[in-house]
Amino acid sequence: MYTQDEMFKQMDDALQTLYEQFYIRMYSAGLPFELNEVLRTRQVQEAYYAQGRLKLSEVNRLRKLAGLWSISDDENAYNVTWTKTSRHFANSNGKANAFDIRLLKFNKPHWQTKWDGNKNSIPDYLEAAKIGASVGLVAGGLWNKPDYPHFQLGE
């Protein structure tokens, strides 16, 4: 498990700059969050891709190989990613061009995409996506198949 500072250092320099702006705007909007993941191995991506597509035993076998914890049948009922490639993979500088967050609800991570903790009539994960886009990030929450926790550098 990496600390928030260690994950920040895994980001490409250009991504760090945008992340700092994102961080300030998120907290100004009353949206507490933490980094969930930055650098990712191909093994981890394969395990994530298997989730929701393969039997639980095979998913957990792949997760174990990737150094991840086992999941339950309930967690295996949904897809985590739609691709086997990722901007989380190390670039030529050994850094990631993407990060994932998790919003905090009562100081605990949550994934409720309809939650509006700051009471401004915009679901918090959608608001986070809009804030990310406003600082120049590509926000997964604004994609046709939303990936609300995901942010990356543009092409």
Side-chain angles (χ1 to χ4, degrees), residues 66-83:
L68 300 169
W69 59 91
S70 295
I71 62 170
S72 67
D73 276 320
D74 288 344
E75 293 169 300
N76 197 38
Y78 62 91
N79 295 348
V80 173
T81 185
W82 292 267
T83 181

Side-chain angles (χ1 to χ4, degrees), residues 11 102 112:
M11 293 180 195
R102 52 187 174 209
Q112 298 167 345

Side-chain angles (χ1 to χ4, degrees), residues 10 36 58 81-82 108:
Q10 294 173 349
N36 190 47
E58 179 62 9
T81 185
W82 292 267
K108 295 188 183 206

Side-chain angles (χ1 to χ4, degrees), residues 66-135:
L68 300 169
W69 59 91
S70 295
I71 62 170
S72 67
D73 276 320
D74 288 344
E75 293 169 300
N76 197 38
Y78 62 91
N79 295 348
V80 173
T81 185
W82 292 267
T83 181
K84 290 188 177 184
T85 63
S86 178
R87 302 291 300 261
H88 289 277
F89 296 157
N91 63 19
S92 60
N93 297 327
K95 305 279 183 119
N97 290 326
F99 63 87
D100 288 352
I101 66 165
R102 52 187 174 209
L103 290 173
L104 303 176
K105 177 180 176 182
F106 308 120
N107 295 319
K108 295 188 183 206
H110 79 90
W111 309 104
Q112 298 167 345
T113 59
K114 303 294 185 203
W115 174 257
D116 179 20
N118 63 358
K119 308 291 186 222
N120 66 353
S121 300
I122 304 169
D124 293 349
Y125 271 103
L126 177 59
E127 188 172 357
K130 290 178 178 184
I131 289 170
S134 78
V135 302

Side-chain angles (χ1 to χ4, degrees), residues 11-86:
M11 293 180 195
D12 183 84
D13 291 346
L15 186 60
Q16 285 181 356
T17 299
L18 296 178
Y19 174 80
E20 288 170 335
Q21 295 170 40
F22 175 75
Y23 182 93
I24 291 165
R25 291 192 189 177
M26 287 288 287
Y27 276 92
S28 294
L31 298 171
F33 75 99
E34 59 190 16
L35 288 168
N36 190 47
E37 189 172 38
V38 179
L39 270 178
R40 185 181 293 166
T41 65
R42 293 187 186 280
Q43 275 187 315
V44 167
Q45 189 72 17
E46 286 289 333
Y48 288 166
Y49 186 81
Q51 188 172 332
R53 292 179 176 85
L54 300 178
K55 287 179 160 183
L56 181 62
S57 59
E58 179 62 9
V59 170
N60 280 332
R61 185 187 74 76
L62 291 170
R63 289 180 66 87
K64 184 176 181 181
L65 288 173
L68 300 169
W69 59 91
S70 295
I71 62 170
S72 67
D73 276 320
D74 288 344
E75 293 169 300
N76 197 38
Y78 62 91
N79 295 348
V80 173
T81 185
W82 292 267
T83 181
K84 290 188 177 184
T85 63
S86 178

